[in-house]
Each structure stands twice: as C-alpha cells, then as structure tokens.
Amino acid sequence: MSTEHMSGKGYTALRQSVSNTDTEDEDEDDNVARTLDNISKGADRNTETNTVYDKGCFYPLDETRNVANRGKNCRKMLGYCNNDIPIMVIDGDSHLDLWKRREMSLLRRLCLAISILLCVATVLIFLYALPCDNEVTCLVISEQQSPLTWDKTLQGVELHGPISVIPGSPDSLIFLLRGQHYGVNSSGSLKQQQIPSEGGGVLSVQGVSGTPLWWVTLKRLPLEIDCFALDTDGSGKPDCIVAGEKGLLVSIEPTTGMIHWSSAIHTYSKLPVLLPDIDSDGIDDLLSVEIMAESILGLVLLSGRNGQVVGRPLTRDCSSIQIISFNSNVTVSYSCDETNGKRSTKSVPLKELLDTVNSSQVGKKLTSKSQTSLRGFTVSNHDANMYNWELTPFHRLSIQNRETHPDEFYQANINLTLHKVANESHLIWSHVNPNSFAMEPAILTMTGYPYMTGFVIKFWQWPHNEQPERINSSLIKRRLTERVQIVLMNCTEVHTINASQIEIVQLCRDGDCQPSLHLQTRSVAIVDLNRDGTRELISYRSSYDLEKSQILTSQIQIVKLNMEVSKLTQQNVD
C-alpha cells in the first residue's frame, strides 16, 4: 500500500474525525486555512514549477494547471485578472446602448404638441375672449396698472407756466420753476441745485415715470417758454426759447438742458416775434422790445443763432410797447403807451424797419420762401381773465373771470353754446361760481366725431367771507380750494365730473402771493405720451404746508384720462 502511494497510483484514505464540540470544528477550519495559505505561498516561491499543487486549490479556467498559461489566459479571455480572481469587463461599445435616448415616435410628438397648444389656447381665451361682468371695472383695473399713472413731489419751488411736451423715446415734460419766497427753505429734491428765492429755473422730467432729467437755474424769473418754433443751433430739432423778468432771454437745448446763448440786453418779459433769416446765417431771427431807459423803449432785432443784436430799427418814448402781431404780409403791428397817457397803435412793414438798419448788418432781401414760411411762438392769451374757443364747428366756449375784489377775488362765468346756423345759437350749459377763478382749459378733441368734444378746467375757489390769517406784521395766510373738472358733450348733452379737489395754502405779502394765481393759469394739459391712442391728463399744483416749517411743495400728477371719463357711468351730474 505504501508503494502505491509513493508512485501516485494508489489511494490513501483521509483521516476522518467527528467531534461534537465547536472547538474542534474551529480548530479543523483553522488547519485547513493554514494549509491553503501554505500552498499559495509555496506556489509563489516555486515560479519554475510547471504544475500547480493539486491539494486544496482549484483553477477552473486553466485545465493545464500551468502557471504561465493561467496568467496569460486570464488576460486574454477576461481582459483583467488580479490575485487569481477574475473580474467581468464588458468589451466594445455595446454597453452604451443602455444609456442612449430612444427616438420619440411621430404619434407621441403630435400628442405633445397638441397638449401644449391646448394650454396656450386656454390661457388666451380666459384673458381676452371671455367678457368681464362689468366693462367699466375691467377698464379701470387695466389702466391702474399703467406705468403712466404717477405723481412727483418737489420741495422749495413753485411750478408755473405752460406744460411743454418734448417728443422723444420716451417723451419728456418741461416746466418753469419759481423759487420759494416765504417760509423756510428746504433741502428737498433740488438740494444740490437750489433755486434762488428771487429767481427761478427750468425743469425736465421723463414723461413715463416722472424721473428728473435735468434742471437749469436762472437768477431771473422765467415767465414764458416755447420749445417748438426755433432751431437755434442748426441741429434740425427745435430749441427752447425762455423769456422772463429783468430782460431774461435764453436758448436752451431741450434734451440736455445746455444753454446755447443768453441775450445781453434788457428785453421785455414776453417771447419775441419770430422773423425770417435776415442776417443770412441759416437761422431765423427774432424781433423784441428793448428797455433802454425809463420811458425809452424800442424795437430790436436779435440773431437767432447767438442772441446778439443785429439792429435797432425803432426807438420811441413809450412807457410800454407791445408787439401785437406779425402777419404774412411781413408787417409788424405794435402799440405804444405814451407818456401823456395816450395809446397809439401802428403797423410798420418789416422792409421799412430794415431800411433803418446798417446794410452791412442785415440782408434786406426777403425771399418769397421766407415770406411763406413765417412761424410764430406759442404765446399765452393776452387777457387771462377772458377766453374764447371754438371747440367744434358747432360748439363755442366762453370763459370770463370778473374781478369782485382787489385782493384776487373773482367770479367765474362759463358759457357753452351750440351754433346750428350762422346767426342762431343756443346756450346748452352755463356755470357761474362766485369767489372763484377759472383757469385756461385743456381741450379734448374727438377726431371723426364732429358733435363730440370736451375740456378739462381748473378752478380756484376762496371761502366766502373768510378773513385771512395773519402770520406776522407783513405776512398773511390764505386757504382756498383747487378743483379740477371734466366737461364732456355730445351735441346738446353735457356731462360734468369732478376729477380732483384739494386745499391750497397761499402766503402773501403786500399783494404778492405764492403760489401766484396768474402763474398757475396753464397748469393742465391733455396729451398722448406713449402714443397708444389713449390720452393722459397732466396737471400740477403748488401749496405751502405750514405744518412742515412753512415749506413750499409742488406736485406733478399724470392720470389716464379714460379713468376719469369712465366715472360718467357712475355719476349723473348735469
């Protein structure tokens, strides 16, 4: 038996042992583990052996049991082998197919597109197709969200004069300013550019938001402004001509606030008359009244390009001269209040005036082109106490403010008449308001509707028999009510609504009041700022607030006019 074992051909039975204890089982497992470990270490040391041990080790991938072949077969068949333990690796790019996005079928694409379109259509139907329960409510809600409804407050200044709308992207608004005369000056929104108390300025704000764009400080009070008639720098866009007290006459760029020129002579406080180009510099020129000395006044020609004197064609001994008109026949009409108390009116051809000027200064030849292109500045009504308008070919508006007291107390009389034929008229609406003053209205035109029109008008009304409050020996305080009214008419049917009502506080000294009644007469305007077909109502007001250290406060306000017109369905006021 021993011979067979040594030759490798016999069979030797393994020793069997059975134990009922856990300790013996654990010892046997430890012996087997040590045996396997010794066999593995022996195989590593015997690198030249061609066969592996056949006790306690099994190599399923190498039937030859050759160590060299085993390592080679592992790398070739599996691509990777470490510590005799095979690891599966997927060859090729076939495994990437698991992560590829499958193409959507045509039917699924069609269903997705239909579902998206259905959602969009539902939203549009709810927004635009379904009617509101109340059309007026829907209109008001949509317009209240408009960015054109805003107000802007300024401190230490009084707003006055006309409202100038400068076209642009977006449009801008230009206002005249007057410095605070009484009370305590405030470091408000114009802190860094304080307006002098005896002077004024020009302010530009953005039309859609009220954001200040620029302001110009003037040592003399501006009274009139026109930003549409004259291009003084040849840029192709008109500039603002500002006239005021103590000979103020300047040209200002409306988009930047840059001053082009300022006249060095003392002219009167009205806007000059616009003349054709008489000095051949490509810019239209100006005709104004020069105050040379007491009771010595005269007509003066000014260059539109630089404001310098071109000539002095006429000098008269007058206490005042007013240029009445300048017609298409190139004739200047003016009135002279003579020192003896008489008033004379004369008309002088422009050519005759130019003949008195040195020929080297003036090009006397007026071409037919210049005569047919005469333009004038927008000048306020000569008599602020009386207005007359032709609203439509059939409607006439007449406003008269009759003075009842020397301290700015008036009675406002407004008549609206319908003219059917040349000599026949019917009074369709009248308004008489004692202790009140009616200011210049803003006309609301209805294109394509000859019988429909309207206007917006502002009233100042003083309390009846109320004595002013005296602050000190020279300063008094007055309280009044400012009311804005909208009047709409369709043929003979007239509707009126109150747009706003607020209390105004005036401070007065020796008849000079602030805010001034006559400086506030053009404080409303109707425009379409964003050109969307709906018009906005622009208004401003100024008032002292004695509860805040006697500070003068001014406010600019813009509202959609349609918002106010919609109140007609809720009010029935005749």
Side-chain angles (χ1 to χ4, degrees):
M1 181 177 295
S2 61
T3 304
E4 293 176 353
H5 173 70
M6 295 300 295
S7 62
K9 297 180 181 180
Y11 170 78
T12 303
L14 295 176
R15 185 175 62 90
Q16 303 290 330
S17 63
V18 178
S19 175
N20 294 328
T21 63
D22 295 335
T23 304
E24 292 178 352
D25 293 337
E26 292 174 358
D27 293 339
E28 183 177 355
D29 293 336
D30 292 339
N31 293 333
V32 174
R34 283 193 296 271
T35 302
L36 294 175
D37 185 63
N38 293 333
I39 293 173
S40 176
K41 292 180 180 179
D44 293 338
R45 289 192 301 267
N46 191 11
T47 57
E48 297 179 356
T49 306
N50 294 328
T51 60
V52 295
Y53 294 98
D54 58 353
K55 296 289 192 301
C57 189
F58 177 65
Y59 302 98
L61 300 178
D62 188 8
E63 296 180 354
T64 63
R65 298 183 181 181
N66 187 286
V67 176
N69 291 339
R70 178 166 59 87
K72 180 179 179 181
N73 292 340
C74 285
R75 291 189 297 270
K76 182 177 181 181
M77 298 177 63
L78 299 177
Y80 183 79
C81 185
N82 185 28
N83 294 331
D84 301 332
I85 301 175
I87 300 176
M88 182 176 292
V89 177
I90 301 176
D91 292 333
D93 297 333
S94 60
H95 65 283
L96 298 177
D97 295 339
L98 299 174
W99 307 101
K100 288 184 178 180
R101 181 176 298 175
R102 294 184 179 181
E103 293 292 335
M104 185 181 295
S105 64
L106 180 60
L107 180 60
R108 295 184 64 184
R109 290 182 180 180
L110 183 61
C111 293
L112 178 61
I114 293 176
S115 62
I116 294 175
L117 292 177
L118 183 61
C119 294
V120 174
T122 303
V123 174
L124 294 178
I125 290 174
F126 272 93
L127 288 178
Y128 301 104
L130 295 181
C132 295
D133 295 335
N134 190 330
E135 293 181 359
V136 176
T137 303
C138 295
L139 177 63
V140 172
I141 291 176
S142 63
E143 290 179 345
Q144 285 177 346
Q145 298 174 352
S146 171
L148 288 181
T149 301
W150 56 265
D151 59 82
K152 185 73 175 180
T153 301
L154 306 172
Q155 290 185 338
V157 293
E158 175 188 357
L159 293 169
H160 71 94
I163 301 173
S164 302
V165 181
I166 308 302
S169 299
D171 293 348
S172 59
L173 306 175
I174 292 182
F175 303 88
L176 297 181
L177 303 177
R178 181 190 184 195
Q180 179 174 340
H181 279 199
Y182 314 115
V184 179
N185 287 330
S186 169
S187 57
S189 58
L190 300 179
K191 175 181 178 181
Q192 298 179 354
Q193 194 78 17
Q194 182 66 43
I195 303 299
S197 60
E198 297 301 325
V202 183
L203 170 69
S204 175
V205 300
Q206 195 176 74
V208 297
S209 63
T211 303
L213 299 176
W214 55 263
W215 58 80
V216 174
T217 300
L218 301 172
K219 295 182 179 180
R220 294 166 287 182
L221 177 64
L223 297 175
E224 301 282 350
I225 184 172
D226 186 285
C227 299
F228 310 102
L230 180 61
D231 176 17
T232 62
D233 60 351
S235 63
K237 296 182 179 180
D239 299 297
C240 294
I241 302 297
V242 181
E245 293 181 347
K246 302 177 182 179
L248 174 66
L249 184 63
V250 296
S251 171
I252 301 177
E253 168 63 42
T255 57
T256 63
M258 181 182 67
I259 297 179
H260 292 307
W261 52 260
S262 178
S263 177
I265 66 172
H266 191 167
T267 57
Y268 77 153
S269 59
K270 300 293 184 180
L271 284 171
V273 173
L274 190 61
L275 299 179
D277 180 18
I278 59 177
D279 57 358
S280 302
D281 62 354
I283 303 297
D284 290 345
D285 297 312
L286 306 171
L287 174 66
S288 185
V289 176
E290 181 182 10
I291 303 175
M292 294 174 285
E294 185 178 358
S295 299
I296 300 178
L297 296 87
L299 300 180
V300 59
L301 298 172
L302 301 174
S303 171
R305 180 177 290 276
N306 52 35
Q308 296 181 359
V309 176
V310 177
R312 293 181 172 89
L314 179 66
T315 301
R316 294 285 303 272
D317 293 335
C318 304
S319 60
S320 67
I321 292 180
Q322 299 289 335
I323 301 177
I324 301 175
S325 64
F326 179 62
N327 55 38
S328 59
N329 295 325
V330 200
T331 300
V332 178
S333 298
Y334 68 95
S335 64
C336 173
D337 293 332
E338 300 178 0
T339 55
N340 57 8
K342 295 182 179 181
R343 169 173 288 190
S344 60
T345 301
K346 291 188 177 182
S347 296
V348 182
L350 180 60
K351 187 177 184 304
E352 182 179 331
L353 292 177
L354 298 181
D355 287 339
T356 62
V357 181
N358 191 335
S359 60
S360 63
Q361 294 176 303
V362 178
K364 299 181 181 180
K365 184 177 180 181
L366 298 176
T367 64
S368 59
K369 179 179 178 181
S370 64
Q371 294 183 26
T372 58
S373 61
L374 298 179
R375 295 170 290 114
F377 291 110
T378 303
V379 183
S380 62
N381 195 300
H382 182 68
D383 186 3
N385 294 336
M386 182 176 294
Y387 305 97
N388 291 282
W389 279 272
E390 184 176 310
L391 302 180
T392 70
F394 311 99
H395 294 89
R396 304 288 191 276
L397 174 63
S398 175
I399 300 175
Q400 182 179 10
N401 295 298
R402 185 168 59 87
E403 188 173 0
T404 59
H405 193 276
D407 291 334
E408 291 189 344
F409 286 103
Y410 296 84
Q411 175 177 295
N413 299 275
I414 304 176
N415 293 322
L416 186 61
T417 57
L418 179 66
H419 295 255
K420 293 184 178 181
V421 294
N423 297 325
E424 183 181 355
S425 63
H426 299 278
L427 180 66
I428 60 176
W429 182 75
S430 65
H431 176 81
V432 178
N433 197 354
N435 297 329
S436 67
F437 187 94
M439 301 183 183
E440 183 175 334
I443 308 302
L444 177 62
T445 58
M446 304 286 187
T447 305
Y449 300 92
Y451 289 96
M452 295 182 62
T453 185
F455 58 91
V456 179
I457 190 169
K458 179 184 289 188
F459 295 93
W460 271 16
Q461 185 169 1
W462 291 265
H464 183 64
N465 294 330
E466 180 176 319
Q467 296 298 323
E469 177 184 344
R470 184 167 294 277
I471 297 177
N472 53 43
S473 58
S474 60
L475 193 64
I476 62 174
K477 179 183 71 173
R478 290 178 179 172
R479 295 182 182 271
L480 58 98
T481 300
E482 179 182 282
R483 181 166 54 91
V484 177
Q485 191 173 46
I486 301 176
V487 181
L488 299 174
M489 63 208 72
N490 184 3
C491 195
T492 60
E493 184 180 357
V494 180
H495 298 276
T496 64
I497 57 175
N498 291 324
S500 66
Q501 183 170 312
I502 192 171
E503 185 180 31
I504 300 294
V505 176
Q506 278 184 312
L507 295 184
C508 304
R509 177 181 289 137
D510 298 330
D512 181 17
C513 296
Q514 191 178 38
S516 171
L517 170 64
H518 294 285
L519 293 181
Q520 301 286 312
T521 56
R522 292 173 286 174
S523 56
V524 292
I526 298 175
V527 296
D528 182 6
L529 286 176
N530 57 357
R531 301 176 183 86
D532 61 351
T534 60
R535 280 162 286 193
E536 289 77 36
L537 173 61
I538 308 175
S539 64
Y540 65 79
R541 60 176 175 265
S542 300
S543 174
Y544 276 93
D545 188 350
L546 297 183
E547 297 179 357
K548 295 182 179 179
S549 303
Q550 301 180 5
I551 296 175
L552 179 63
T553 301
S554 297
Q555 186 178 41
I556 307 170
Q557 187 176 37
I558 292 183
V559 297
K560 284 282 189 180
L561 187 59
N562 289 11
M563 295 173 60
E564 304 300 333
V565 174
S566 65
K567 295 179 182 179
L568 286 174
T569 59
Q570 304 173 5
Q571 301 181 9
N572 190 15
V573 182
D574 294 330

